[in-house]
């Protein structure tokens, strides 16, 4: 039996160094807000602690609340923080629970004396069921201990049409912190889970047991209408997927005269193939499309199983530019890159008029075929380096230091270009460019 009904829901900080992009994109803790609602409906008193925005240290919050249970979620790069907080929570006498994207795939990394339950699915009701005393053996997508031995119940895909409305109290209390670039505040909405595509480098298509699930779009529009925020970040791994569903979305938004700005993910091939639909989306407020351009050449695109060409990528940028919609072009710098390959990304952005670009270092994800393929080339096993800003496996055509040198030169050039175009005026350019310059000499050179 739980000693009280207080539950602390934790999202750790992203990093304790300045080697990150906090203050540029800070995400609403939507997963915790769903769990909040599920726990409230079950008679618990949940509290959120988000390390991105909190000024009160976790340990102080723990002592203040004396929760009966602590749930901690996060991604690979936050693993060490998740374990640290679980140890602290267990020491305080709380039931400890781990969940989130990283735990779905790498649950065995959390098998420890200070962890009681690990959730390998997305359903927030599972947390409430366990805390209400339901027999763990009957709870799907759960790992738990029985007489000192870990039991792994079968993970099952979640029907996200059963998701409750998230309790956004915490978001409204911290609207000055949750943003997407200049859009402040920006509220998150999920309309689908997992991904219908199968790019080789990505893990998102493995979430929810690899099952792509969609909510009814009318319910999504109802939720958007209720949110007291004019900027909506649709966090589906690809919102631009089902043409008929998107047409209905446009129709319902117009019918209800909802006037907001939208951020979403979308593939270049969908954008390029649907100019009329993209025009309709632009007319109702589509503001940013996050697109995996990935590479500036077809060879790398083929190696990623992207099923898209450089010609299509260029066509998509041109179309969105013509509609006044911002593309955030996301690139991967591969471990086989030469100096010329780094420069090719810069040239591509300039040639195609791409204002917004994000560049990630190729990172073989844990518990995938890729990590086994790159096992002999790994140069670190520190999970905090799985942030797409660190080299975790040895490059094939240059030293690690030289690779970092070219990577940071590329980032500095892209930031300077953005500075000249005044597109990120809300940030302290000197701080970020200075940080990149320091990292250039810290990691490379």
């Amino acid at each position: 039996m739980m000693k009280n009904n207080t539950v602390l829901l934790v999202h750790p900080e992203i990093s304790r160094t300045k080697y990150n992009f906090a203050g540029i994109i800070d995400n609403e803790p939507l997963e915790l807000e769903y769990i909040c609602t599920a726990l409230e409906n079950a008679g618990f008193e949940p509290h959120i602690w988000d390390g991105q925005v909190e000024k009160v240290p976790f340990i102080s919050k723990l002592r203040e609340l004396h929760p009966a249970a602590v749930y901690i979620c996060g991604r690979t790069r936050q693993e060490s923080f998740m374990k640290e907080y679980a140890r602290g929570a267990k020491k305080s006498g709380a039931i400890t629970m781990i969940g989130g994207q990283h735990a779905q795939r790498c649950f065995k990394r959390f098998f420890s004396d200070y962890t009681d339950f690990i959730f390998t699915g997305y359903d927030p009701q599972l947390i409430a069921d366990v805390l209400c005393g339901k027999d763990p053996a009957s709870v799907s997508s759960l790992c738990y201990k029985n007489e000192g031995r870990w039991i792994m119940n079968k993970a099952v895909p979640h029907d996200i049409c059963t998701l409750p409305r998230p309790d956004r109290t915490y978001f409204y209390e911290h609207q000055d912190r949750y943003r997407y670039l200049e859009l402040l505040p920006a509220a998150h909405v999920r309309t689908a889970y997992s991904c219908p595509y199968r790019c080789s480098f990505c893990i998102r298509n493995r979430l929810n047991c690899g099952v792509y699930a969609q909510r009814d779009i009318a319910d999504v529009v109802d939720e958007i209408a209720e949110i007291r925020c004019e900027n909506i970040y649709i966090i589906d791994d690809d919102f631009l997927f089902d043409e008929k569903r998107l047409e209905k979305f446009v129709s319902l938004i117009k019918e209800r005269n909802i006037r907001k700005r939208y951020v979403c993910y979308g593939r270049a091939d969908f954008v390029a193939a649907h100019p009329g639909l993209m025009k309709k989306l632009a007319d109702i407020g589509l503001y940013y499309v996050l697109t995996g351009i990935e590479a500036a050449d077809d060879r790398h695109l083929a190696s990623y199983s992207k099923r898209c060409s450089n010609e299509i990528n260029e066509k998509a940028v041109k179309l969105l530019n013509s509609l006044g919609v911002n593309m955030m072009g996301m690139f991967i710098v591969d471990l086989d890159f030469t100096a010329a390959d780094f420069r090719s990304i810069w040239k591509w952005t300039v040639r195609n008029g791409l204002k917004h670009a994000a560049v990630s270092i190729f990172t073989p994800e844990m518990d995938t075929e890729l990590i086994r393929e790159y096992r002999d080339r790994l140069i670190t096993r520190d999970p905090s380096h799985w942030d797409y800003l660190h080299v975790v496996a040895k490059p094939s055509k240059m030293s690690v230091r030289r690779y970092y040198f070219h990577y940071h030169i590329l980032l500095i050039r892209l930031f300077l270009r953005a500075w000249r175009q005044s597109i990120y005026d809300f940030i302290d350019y000197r701080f970020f460019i200075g940080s990149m310059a320091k990292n250039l000499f810290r990691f490379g050179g």
Side-chain angles (χ1 to χ4, degrees), residues 322-368:
S322 72
L323 296 175
V325 177
N326 301 290
M327 176 188 281
M328 171 58 78
M330 299 179 291
F331 292 87
I332 297 171
V333 290
D334 204 280
L335 294 177
D336 72 355
F337 262 30
T338 64
D341 290 320
F342 282 96
R343 291 193 296 270
S344 71
I345 290 179
W346 162 257
K347 292 176 182 177
W348 198 97
T349 64
V350 174
R351 183 173 67 251
N352 290 287
L354 180 68
K355 293 182 179 179
H356 305 270
V359 184
S360 300
I361 295 173
F362 177 83
T363 303
E365 295 288 354
M366 293 183 181
D367 195 38
T368 64

Side-chain angles (χ1 to χ4, degrees), residues 48 53-54 169-178 184-185:
I48 292 177
V53 305
E54 288 283 356
T169 303
Y170 192 88
F171 168 76
Y172 292 132
E173 291 173 349
H174 297 86
Q175 289 190 77
D176 61 323
R177 294 300 304 274
Y178 294 120
L184 175 72

Side-chain angles (χ1 to χ4, degrees), residues 396-409:
S396 62
K397 296 182 179 176
M398 63 180 73
S399 69
V400 173
R401 287 185 62 81
R402 198 65 181 166
Y403 187 94
Y404 269 128
F405 175 81
H406 288 292
Y407 174 62
H408 288 114
I409 287 293

Side-chain angles (χ1 to χ4, degrees), residues 24-38:
I24 297 180
I25 299 173
D26 290 314
N27 296 318
E28 177 186 3
L30 185 65
E31 177 183 346
L32 300 186
E33 293 170 339
Y34 279 127
I35 297 171
C36 254
T37 300

Side-chain angles (χ1 to χ4, degrees), residues 136-147:
S138 67
V139 179
S140 62
S141 306
L142 177 70
C143 300
Y144 65 98
K145 286 179 287 193
N146 184 10
E147 297 181 352

